[in-house]
Amino acid sequence: DGGITQSPKYLFRKEGQNVTLSCEQNLNHDAMYWYRQDPGQGLRLIYYSQIVNDFQKGDIAEGYSVSREKKESFPLTVTSAQKNPTAFYLCASIDHPLGTSYTEAFFGQGTRLTVV
Amino acid sequence: GQNIDQPTEMTATEGAIVQINCTYQTSGFNGLFWYQQHAGEAPTFLSYNVLDGLEEKGRFSSFLSRSKGYSYLLLKELQMKDSASYLCAVKGKNNAGNMLTFGGGTRLMVKP
């Protein structure tokens, strides 16, 4: 079955450590996104990528880094420079078939990151 | 830039109809999404509008007016399981290309 998979589901980080969140999709989608969600809030865009080897900063990119070496994979690293990293992180991918106006976005199940 | 506004909370009664509004200002417009999100879970796709008008899908309908920068999600025959947050998201454009931006979400409470 096609889908988008995030791992791990729960992650604990010590202060000063870098951690990497995984996002893999087998939907053959070009565009992938990372969002952060704080309790009771909406989704804020961290980084997004339209094609392999290219990515752009979103609204809250400071303290985060990404790579897009393969179409299927878009890992997010939360660095020690991110001062308040405890949050729910969501990865999404979007399909936009050529010649149609149809678009659908799919989300992974999310990673809940806690700083201890 | 992108700016998306939704009411923060709404309350409705089981069996009733509720309309959740979303207004947006974007540079470029490539479509509007509605998502449902239950607490602690990932959002699930409800609808997509790119042309003006109403899209109906079972108990849920979504309307778009591009000239007014306005959309609404209509939920009919409300059920207790419809208690969730409803997220409006717009696919717009910046200098780098397309980007998908979310509003803050509307928390809907359905009461018996």
Side-chain angles (χ1 to χ4, degrees):
Chain A
D1 282 90
I4 180 166
T5 303
Q6 286 185 244
S7 62
K9 191 171 180 182
Y10 298 97
L11 186 58
F12 296 89
R13 188 193 98 171
K14 291 183 181 177
E15 287 199 33
Q17 269 185 342
N18 290 359
V19 289
T20 297
L21 283 58
S22 169
C23 179
E24 304 275 332
Q25 52 103 355
N26 60 2
L27 300 164
N28 201 34
H29 289 176
D30 286 313
M32 297 185 75
Y33 296 75
W34 273 107
Y35 293 92
R36 169 182 172 138
Q37 189 175 34
D38 293 285
Q41 305 293 313
L43 277 62
R44 292 186 289 166
L45 183 62
I46 305 173
Y47 268 99
Y48 65 106
S49 168
Q50 304 288 340
I51 55 171
V52 174
N53 292 323
D54 186 58
F55 47 83
Q56 307 294 331
K57 291 182 179 180
D59 300 318
I60 55 165
E62 188 175 345
Y64 300 98
S65 65
V66 293
S67 62
R68 188 86 187 275
E69 296 175 3
K70 298 185 299 182
K71 190 175 188 178
E72 304 78 27
S73 178
F74 191 39
L76 174 75
T77 297
V78 184
T79 75
S80 56
Q82 171 48 240
K83 296 305 175 191
N84 185 22
T86 295
F88 188 45
Y89 290 87
L90 286 158
C91 178
S93 71
I94 291 188
D95 180 35
H96 193 151
L98 286 175
T100 76
S101 62
Y102 180 73
T103 294
E104 187 162 346
F106 295 84
F107 280 89
Q109 287 306 299
T111 295
R112 196 166 297 281
L113 174 64
T114 304
V115 172
V116 295
Chain B
Q2 325 267 19
N3 191 36
I4 301 172
D5 288 312
Q6 313 177 226
T8 308
E9 286 186 355
M10 297 183 73
T11 303
T13 306
E14 192 176 13
I17 298 173
V18 71
Q19 178 175 312
I20 303 174
N21 296 326
C22 172
T23 58
Y24 64 88
Q25 293 171 310
T26 64
S27 45
F29 177 81
N30 274 340
L32 186 144
F33 296 81
W34 282 96
Y35 284 88
Q36 181 191 61
Q37 187 180 28
H38 285 99
E41 297 180 9
T44 54
F45 172 80
L46 289 177
S47 68
Y48 170 69
N49 295 68
V50 67
L51 300 175
D52 291 349
L54 188 68
E55 294 277 344
E56 297 188 74
K57 201 187 281 189
R59 293 190 298 116
F60 294 4
S61 305
S62 57
F63 172 83
L64 175 67
S65 169
R66 288 172 296 172
S67 62
K68 294 181 180 176
Y70 168 67
S71 173
Y72 67 72
L73 180 70
L74 194 71
L75 291 75
K76 302 176 189 174
E77 301 168 16
L78 278 173
Q79 302 175 9
M80 298 299 291
K81 68 178 182 180
D82 296 330
S83 293
S85 286
Y86 291 87
L87 307 174
C88 172
V90 174
K91 195 176 175 195
K93 279 187 177 178
N94 63 9
N95 291 337
N98 292 329
M99 55 188 295
L100 185 62
T101 304
F102 282 79
T106 299
R107 201 170 309 126
L108 174 67
M109 240 179 321
V110 180
K111 295 187 172 177

